[in-house]
Amino acid sequence: MEPTAATVAQAHITTPNAARHRWKVLAAGVAANASFSAIFSGIPVTSVVLRTDYQLSNTQLGLALGLLSLGVALGELPWGVLTDRLGDRKVLLAGLLGTVAALWLLVLFGLPGQGANTYRWLCAGLMLAGLLGGSVNGSSGRAIMGWFRDGERGLAMSIRQTAVPLGGGIGALLLPSLAAHAGFGAVYGALIAGCLAGVWLTLLWLREPPPSAQPQQAIRQEHTATPALRNGTVWRLALGTGLLCAPQVALISFGGIFLHDFGHAGLVLISAVMTAVQVGAAVSRIASGRWTDRRGNRRGFLRGCALLSAGLFALLGMLALCGAGLAPLALSLAVAGIAVSAWHGVAYTELAVQAGPAQIGTALGLGNSCVFTVFFLSAQAVPALLQWRGWAAVWLAMAAVALAVRPLFPAPGKQ
């Protein structure tokens, strides 16, 4: 009896050499994502020092941080299409090295006090870093989906997604103090070193799965599958994933400002709370990936996370409205931040599965384009909401967005 495609793929991936190497591929993907996350999530945590050193208003701060997200949003889909055509390794290396170049431009021209155009260089450098660094998302995701079988992909993708809070946690722990005591030249230098470490591990470990991992049955199916960009379920998942990031980016980018300005917290407490958010998000992502792999309930889990996030941000808004003390504000902020960050690996796994093996890069690129477009828009909306009705309006608006996302995630068993 001729073996099925699934049997062929599983036999390949579970051979001793491949079984060991897939974890190296995962480690390279985690390192690449962590190095970019330290930029994307770490720089916003320096917002208090960034605002002071660069002498920015809240609106200018929101624009600068938002342009980092806009750069990622503009680059994600093209990078995803290129990944499907050129492979993971080439795209990942090109993006990481390009990010190093963008950060070096900030060191040369975008440090505080370097002239009248410093703010323009800051905006341009952050946008370019986002445009180039966003390549790590689709390329590393495609590599992992190729090396792991279906019963492990939720866990593997969730581990990869822990790189986001892991890199963000390292950034939250180190970058504010580094910025305050050594300046932003040291901040950008540390981020360059992280990207170069990702380059080294990519060169060392990342390669395409051998042809035996791509069964002929799966290849034939791809010729008849609906293209990812014309698949309604893929679009719903991508839009839902993007919109549910609005509360997350509001909290990551402005949570420190909220604790400082509204709760009168010091830099040490701010760093501790934001680090707790990132560490808690990392743990919850791994747990959610494993849990949904065992139960096969990714869609139900996503809908539940949207509802939970809505409730927690509504609570945070009510505490701000009532003028609660620093302790409940800090605790609520940390819990809400963990909850709204727990679902990413599950969402990307479901998105990739819906797209099919040959279109994973494109689908993940579409999802990340939605994510980072929302990141950019959220960074612009928060200062406007803050000026309009204060912090309560910010958190209650984020609760409303999370609640609106739930119907976008398809119900279990439906297309």
Side-chain angles (χ1 to χ4, degrees):
M1 181 177 176
E2 185 176 345
T4 65
T7 303
V8 172
Q10 181 170 338
H12 164 76
I13 292 175
T14 55
T15 57
N17 288 338
R20 286 192 297 269
H21 189 77
R22 61 183 175 163
W23 295 106
K24 295 179 181 179
V25 172
L26 179 57
V30 167
N33 277 268
S35 66
F36 180 64
S37 177
I39 299 169
F40 178 76
S41 297
I43 289 179
V45 180
T46 70
S47 55
V48 174
V49 184
L50 187 72
R51 184 176 62 176
T52 301
D53 284 9
Y54 282 89
Q55 299 181 350
L56 306 178
S57 65
N58 281 339
T59 300
Q60 288 176 314
L61 176 66
L63 177 60
L65 297 178
L67 286 173
L68 178 58
S69 305
L70 180 61
V72 183
L74 293 175
E76 278 286 355
L77 187 55
W79 279 123
V81 173
L82 282 175
T83 299
D84 286 335
R85 294 182 180 179
L86 301 179
D88 321 312
R89 180 184 172 95
K90 292 178 182 178
V91 170
L92 196 51
L93 288 172
L96 286 172
L97 290 172
T99 306
V100 168
L103 291 169
W104 187 244
L105 285 176
L106 285 172
V107 173
L108 294 177
F109 305 109
L111 295 179
Q114 286 187 321
N117 293 322
T118 299
Y119 178 65
R120 293 181 182 178
W121 276 108
L122 174 67
C123 291
L126 291 179
M127 184 171 180
L128 187 60
L131 186 67
L132 297 170
S135 65
V136 306
N137 296 308
S139 55
S140 63
R142 181 179 180 272
I144 291 165
M145 290 292 290
W147 278 93
F148 286 82
R149 62 179 183 265
D150 188 56
E152 302 171 326
R153 286 171 175 168
L155 175 62
M157 287 289 279
S158 293
I159 291 174
R160 186 205 72 153
Q161 284 303 114
T162 63
V164 177
L166 174 64
I170 293 171
L173 189 63
L174 298 180
L175 295 188
S177 295
L178 198 61
H181 297 102
F184 278 91
V187 169
Y188 302 139
L191 295 174
I192 287 172
C195 289
L196 291 176
V199 168
W200 179 68
L201 289 179
T202 300
L203 287 170
L204 191 64
W205 286 334
L206 186 60
R207 63 175 184 262
E208 291 283 328
S212 58
Q214 308 296 332
Q216 293 300 313
Q217 179 180 329
I219 294 172
R220 287 195 300 271
Q221 287 174 347
E222 287 306 314
H223 290 295
T224 58
T226 303
L229 297 181
R230 289 190 290 178
N231 186 321
T233 302
V234 168
W235 273 98
R236 286 180 64 183
L237 286 165
L239 290 171
T241 299
L243 286 172
L244 195 50
C245 286
Q248 182 190 15
V249 72
L251 190 144
I252 290 174
S253 296
F254 292 93
I257 297 290
F258 169 67
L259 291 176
H260 180 271
D261 291 358
F262 188 86
H264 308 293
L267 187 61
V268 173
L269 178 60
I270 291 170
S271 293
V273 170
M274 301 308 291
T275 300
V277 168
Q278 301 292 359
V279 172
V283 173
S284 64
R285 287 182 186 191
I286 294 175
S288 66
R290 184 63 173 164
W291 191 71
T292 54
D293 273 346
R294 289 180 172 179
R295 288 164 176 78
N297 61 342
R298 288 191 293 261
R299 292 183 176 186
F301 177 79
L302 292 172
R303 290 166 66 90
C305 281
L307 193 59
L308 177 62
S309 298
L312 290 171
F313 274 83
L315 173 62
L316 188 58
M318 293 305 297
L319 289 174
L321 189 64
C322 297
L326 179 58
L329 290 176
L331 179 61
S332 298
L333 189 80
V335 173
I338 293 169
V340 82
S341 303
W343 52 271
H344 285 259
V346 176
Y348 285 124
T349 303
E350 183 66 15
L351 187 57
V353 168
Q354 288 299 313
Q359 300 181 86
I360 289 173
T362 300
L364 294 180
L366 175 63
N368 280 310
S369 289
C370 293
V371 165
F372 288 99
T373 298
V374 169
F375 271 33
F376 171 72
L377 295 176
S378 299
Q380 311 316 304
V382 169
L385 286 168
L386 181 58
Q387 186 174 9
W388 178 53
R389 284 293 187 269
W391 286 107
V394 171
W395 305 129
L396 290 173
M398 295 302 110
V401 172
L403 187 61
V405 166
R406 188 174 183 273
L408 280 175
F409 288 133
K414 294 185 179 181
Q415 296 296 319

